[in-house]
Amino acid sequence: MNALSPYADSFHGARVLITGGIGFIGSNLAFRLVELGATVTLVDSLIPEYGGNLHNLQGLEDQVRVNFSDVRDEHSMNYLVQGQDYLFNLAGQTSHMDSMRDPYTDLEINARSQLSILESCRKYNQAIRVVYASTRQIYGKPDYLPVDERHPLHPVDVNGINKMAGEWYHILYNNVYGIRSCALRLTNTYGPRMRVKDARQTFLGIWIKQLIEGQTIQVWGDGLQIRDFTYVDDCVEALLLAAASPNAHGQIFNLGSDETINLRDLAALMVEIYGEGQYEIIPFPSDRKPIDIGDYYGDYRLIRGRLGWMPRVPLREGLARCLAFYREHRAHYW
């Protein structure tokens, strides 16, 4: 990516707010925005169970403003949205199992707080442009593949229901109040700076940790479940295109990949790239089986047609970058 990207001029000198900004995607986005000449403010609560990690800002510390706030604090958000040109709304509770064990916290973060943030925009900055990080999880178990944006929504866990509500608040506020908003349904985003100490952010993270530590990667079920993946640089590109383009206002877009792979082959590929390690196929844990969605891969033709986005980092290359990053920086991530 370079400064000749179609959105480059949109962010030079712009004021940008990122919720969840010290987390995985937020920090990668911050690096790119600083490179584009934006003035960036990061909002993060640094609650240990979520994705914030101060090491994610290494090399960026003096180039961004950091506000340690919780998106559930409406008074902070009322202040923080003022004067901003863009809001990348990435803060969220991502663990499916945590949402089942503690549904009310998930409701507060992924639904009520999203409504509160939009109310802050309505009251204090109606000119702001908002991009919301939604998830393919809201589709639930697919009725057909690839999954496009017209696919019925039938989430299989509390997290999916609350993320669906958060997404639709953004579309509603676009349609009713003119708060220019859109949503991207992300799918298995991976790359440097993601949480890997457990599976709260993505199963791929714990696989990386197991591989580097010399443990056996555990693949649940029969290992034939198909997935697609998005490297974080491609995700950042989609976020920036969505923020800068009027064609995105009020829209919901899938991200996706030109590559699909089953989990057994993914584990084997990771072992091959790393040069050592092993994996095993084990039965689903009893609490996981009811919320498994089976096969999933997305149809991203809408965002390609409207905004010109398409994935550029092949899975093998992305995994190699990822493993190299955590081999070097493991002390900061587990």
Side-chain angles (χ1 to χ4, degrees):
M1 287 183 264
N2 57 54
L4 298 178
S5 297
Y7 50 71
D9 291 342
S10 300
F11 297 104
H12 185 78
R15 298 186 64 186
V16 180
L17 184 66
I18 306 174
T19 65
I22 310 179
F24 165 40
I25 298 174
S27 58
N28 281 280
L29 175 62
F31 273 90
R32 180 67 177 134
L33 283 164
V34 168
E35 180 184 314
L36 291 168
T39 299
V40 179
T41 300
L42 309 179
V43 182
D44 207 296
S45 64
L46 285 184
I47 294 173
E49 290 77 17
Y50 305 148
N53 185 333
L54 286 171
H55 187 72
N56 285 343
L57 301 184
Q58 186 178 46
L60 200 64
E61 299 93 337
D62 298 329
Q63 300 178 71
V64 295
R65 175 188 173 203
V66 177
N67 189 290
F68 296 107
S69 296
D70 193 308
V71 292
R72 288 171 285 188
D73 180 355
E74 62 186 86
H75 302 292
S76 292
M77 294 309 301
N78 286 345
Y79 166 73
L80 288 165
V81 301
Q82 294 180 37
Q84 301 291 337
D85 298 304
Y86 297 93
L87 165 59
F88 291 94
N89 197 4
L90 310 182
Q93 196 295 109
T94 60
S95 169
H96 307 300
M97 294 312 302
D98 284 358
S99 81
M100 302 301 285
R101 286 188 289 262
D102 184 6
Y104 296 114
T105 296
D106 194 273
L107 176 69
E108 283 290 311
I109 295 173
N110 288 331
R112 189 189 184 283
S113 292
Q114 306 310 315
L115 181 58
S116 179
I117 289 167
L118 289 162
E119 274 291 280
S120 296
C121 295
R122 184 179 70 84
K123 293 173 182 175
Y124 297 102
N125 187 356
Q126 292 194 14
I128 198 169
R129 294 189 183 191
V130 186
V131 181
Y132 175 66
S134 185
T135 173
R136 58 93 177 151
Q137 185 73 10
I138 68 177
Y139 291 118
K141 188 174 180 63
D143 296 337
Y144 58 83
L145 294 166
V147 174
D148 57 24
E149 292 84 354
R150 295 180 180 274
H151 188 286
L153 306 180
H154 33 62
V156 296
D157 57 23
V158 169
N159 179 261
I161 292 171
N162 291 328
K163 289 293 289 186
M164 182 170 65
E167 174 187 282
W168 279 95
Y169 286 139
H170 284 76
I171 303 307
L172 178 73
Y173 272 62
N174 178 91
N175 296 345
V176 176
Y177 298 119
I179 308 295
R180 292 169 294 177
S181 304
C182 66
L184 302 184
R185 291 175 179 163
L186 310 185
T187 175
N188 292 318
T189 309
Y190 74 103
R193 303 184 182 92
M194 70 178 171
R195 183 184 179 102
V196 298
K197 66 174 64 176
D198 52 35
R200 279 191 162 95
Q201 202 159 65
T202 167
F203 73 89
L204 195 58
I206 196 67
W207 282 15
I208 288 168
K209 180 174 182 286
Q210 289 170 339
L211 186 59
I212 292 175
E213 286 194 330
Q215 300 173 6
T216 300
I217 294 174
Q218 294 185 335
V219 183
W220 294 341
D222 60 11
L224 300 180
Q225 309 95 310
I226 297 171
R227 293 288 186 272
D228 58 357
F229 295 85
T230 305
Y231 190 68
V232 67
D233 288 1
D234 286 331
C235 178
V236 165
E237 180 84 358
L239 289 164
L240 294 171
L241 284 166
S245 175
N247 292 332
H249 299 163
Q251 298 297 310
I252 295 168
F253 297 112
N254 283 346
L255 298 194
S257 174
D258 295 321
E259 301 175 85
T260 60
I261 189 169
N262 71 47
L263 299 188
R264 184 186 302 225
D265 289 346
L266 176 65
L269 177 60
M270 291 173 64
V271 169
E272 177 194 334
I273 292 169
Y274 195 64
E276 58 182 288
Q278 58 187 357
Y279 67 92
E280 62 178 347
I281 310 297
I282 66 170
F284 267 104
S286 59
D287 57 349
R288 289 279 182 171
K289 184 59 180 173
I291 64 173
D292 177 55
I293 63 166
D295 296 338
Y296 176 90
Y297 51 95
D299 182 335
Y300 70 88
R301 284 179 296 177
L302 184 62
I303 192 171
R304 183 176 64 191
R306 293 280 181 91
L307 306 184
W309 179 86
M310 57 188 302
R312 305 205 178 269
V313 180
L315 181 61
R316 176 181 286 272
E317 180 183 338
L319 289 172
R321 291 187 201 175
C322 206
L323 287 164
F325 176 86
Y326 289 103
R327 182 184 286 182
E328 179 179 354
H329 298 283
R330 57 185 288 177
H332 300 284
Y333 291 90
W334 63 77

